[in-house]
Amino acid sequence: MTPNYIIHIATLGGLIDNPTYQQKYASMLKPQFKKLITDNSEFLNFNSLTPHPMAVLLVCVPICMEARNPQGYLDYFPDLKKAIETANYTEFWKKYGDKVDWNDNTLAIGKNFLTKFNEQDKKKWAKLTFDVSMVYAHNAADYKREFLEDEDKNRMDEAVLDLYNVIDGNTIIRNWEKIANRNYLGRGYRAFLVNTLEGYNYPVMVAYNTDIFLYNQSKEWIEQTASHQIGRRVLDYFHDTFKKQYTKNPKYFEDCFNALITYYNLKVLNKSELVYECLPQINNKEKLIAALQAKTAENPDLTPEDLMKYLLEMQK
């Protein structure tokens, strides 16, 4: 099991909205397994900073663990199921405590969840753990036949070797912290490259400090998009509060937030233009960014919150 394979299953199960990939490889996920993922999507959707705890445990942790230890998955699911059923986590933490950074803001959601079940919940989450492990197990052979002999796999491995020469995560983080006057809450930033995001031109979030990228994007695109993702995390401190207050037009709210990140990203990377587009795309992006540039020209001391309020007020 690898990040490639988990993203493959997640996409075919509808957890990632990628019609191109889903249509091309639809036959590679048996209908009963697709239904299982669909029926439990509220517990398995993972592409956010605050996913459901079971999505963290069943999707995010295996991805992060596999990237560091390709053999580590062999016992993970039965060990997790046993720990949930018995409410005895001593052996589980002894074995998996150092396999991922459980203090990561996103992965910690799963860690904190483990000891809070009542008896009925234990049965529910143990069953879901078993069911998801069966999805992974019973579809692996088809995946191996289709992908592991593909020459794209070799190209992807080469891209991984180049990636760390492209993204200076620590410098980007420092620039974001300085511009936004806020702390980044992760330990560095990691970008994993996979070939099973074919047709999906935006990164997928699996931990606070980790995103998944399609391997064959340009180096410039990866660096700029990674910086946008880091900025998303740095500015997240006011996102949810503002969103609850502004319910008039959810799409406009997200457009404003992503335009604000894009505006700051130009400064972080010292660029006059960027090569990536957000997903979904920002409506009236140029107008929003021009408004931010004009406003900060009037008052350079405005905070990110001030600028977000300004954009939202533009629609009143």
Side-chain angles (χ1 to χ4, degrees):
M1 189 183 299
T2 65
N4 257 315
Y5 178 58
I6 297 173
I7 293 297
H8 166 78
I9 293 295
T11 302
L12 294 183
L15 301 179
I16 298 172
D17 184 19
N18 186 355
T20 300
Y21 192 91
Q22 289 159 351
Q23 291 170 13
K24 185 173 182 179
Y25 299 109
S27 63
M28 294 184 66
L29 183 64
K30 297 174 176 62
Q32 67 269 32
F33 294 126
K34 181 176 181 180
K35 183 177 186 303
L36 189 152
I37 294 174
T38 302
D39 290 349
N40 290 283
S41 60
E42 66 177 300
F43 309 123
L44 297 175
N45 278 315
F46 64 95
N47 187 16
S48 79
L49 286 174
T50 55
H52 189 279
M54 290 306 293
V56 173
L57 294 168
L58 300 178
V59 183
C60 300
V61 168
I63 287 176
C64 294
M65 183 172 63
E66 296 315 308
R68 298 170 66 175
N69 179 6
Q71 299 302 315
Y73 78 95
L74 290 175
D75 298 322
Y76 172 75
F77 290 102
D79 287 344
L80 176 62
K81 178 175 177 286
K82 180 180 178 181
I84 291 173
E85 286 175 329
T86 62
N88 184 342
Y89 300 97
T90 303
E91 291 302 316
F92 182 83
W93 291 126
K94 188 181 297 184
K95 189 169 182 179
Y96 299 101
D98 63 351
K99 294 292 190 293
V100 298
D101 178 11
W102 290 98
N103 292 318
D104 175 277
N105 279 29
T106 300
L107 301 189
I109 294 171
K111 177 182 179 181
N112 295 337
F113 184 69
L114 279 177
T115 57
K116 298 178 181 178
F117 308 139
N118 59 39
E119 196 62 34
Q120 185 176 357
D121 286 340
K122 288 178 185 178
K123 295 177 182 178
K124 177 180 179 179
W125 302 132
K127 182 179 186 305
L128 182 60
T129 300
F130 176 79
D131 289 345
V132 170
S133 72
M134 290 299 99
V135 174
Y136 289 140
H138 285 280
N139 293 278
D142 289 343
Y143 173 81
K144 290 177 182 178
R145 282 193 295 270
E146 178 69 28
F147 286 101
L148 293 193
E149 295 180 0
D150 195 306
E151 63 180 3
D152 279 356
K153 181 64 164 57
N154 293 327
R155 292 205 299 270
M156 184 192 70
D157 288 342
E158 293 170 3
V160 171
L161 293 176
D162 291 338
L163 180 62
Y164 295 99
N165 296 323
V166 176
I167 300 177
D168 184 356
N170 289 332
T171 297
I172 291 174
I173 289 169
R174 285 195 298 271
N175 289 346
W176 269 106
E177 290 180 326
K178 181 178 179 180
I179 284 176
N181 196 29
R182 300 292 297 193
N183 289 331
Y184 174 83
L185 302 178
R187 297 181 182 178
Y189 177 78
R190 297 186 299 170
F192 296 153
L193 299 179
V194 302
N195 55 12
T196 47
L197 277 177
E198 177 186 344
Y200 190 83
N201 296 319
Y202 210 68
V204 172
M205 192 178 299
V206 294
Y208 186 91
N209 72 346
T210 305
D211 289 321
I212 301 284
F213 291 78
L214 179 63
Y215 79 98
N216 61 358
Q217 300 283 8
S218 72
K219 295 179 180 180
E220 185 179 29
W221 186 95
I222 292 175
E223 178 189 44
Q224 293 181 9
T225 310
S227 181
H228 187 101
Q229 292 290 92
I230 290 169
R232 171 71 174 81
R233 289 148 163 93
V234 172
L235 298 183
D236 186 68
Y237 67 96
F238 66 80
H239 176 275
D240 290 350
T241 302
F242 276 38
K243 190 172 185 177
K244 290 175 183 176
Q245 297 170 356
Y246 185 88
T247 58
K248 186 163 83 170
N249 186 336
K251 176 65 169 73
Y252 181 72
F253 177 88
E254 293 300 336
D255 284 346
C256 289
F257 190 63
N258 276 309
L260 181 66
I261 298 171
T262 303
Y263 166 71
Y264 279 119
N265 205 16
L266 289 164
K267 297 176 177 294
V268 166
L269 297 174
N270 193 26
K271 300 282 187 181
S272 60
E273 60 182 11
L274 300 168
V275 300
Y276 70 92
E277 290 287 345
C278 292
L279 188 68
Q281 290 191 358
I282 303 170
N283 293 336
N284 300 312
K285 179 176 72 172
E286 289 76 15
K287 177 183 176 181
L288 292 172
I289 292 176
L292 291 169
Q293 291 170 334
K295 193 66 176 175
T296 50
E298 293 176 9
N299 186 353
D301 296 327
L302 291 174
T303 67
E305 298 105 304
D306 294 332
L307 292 174
M308 185 67 180
K309 289 175 184 176
Y310 171 68
L311 290 181
L312 294 176
E313 289 170 355
M314 285 173 56
Q315 204 187 45
K316 289 183 178 179

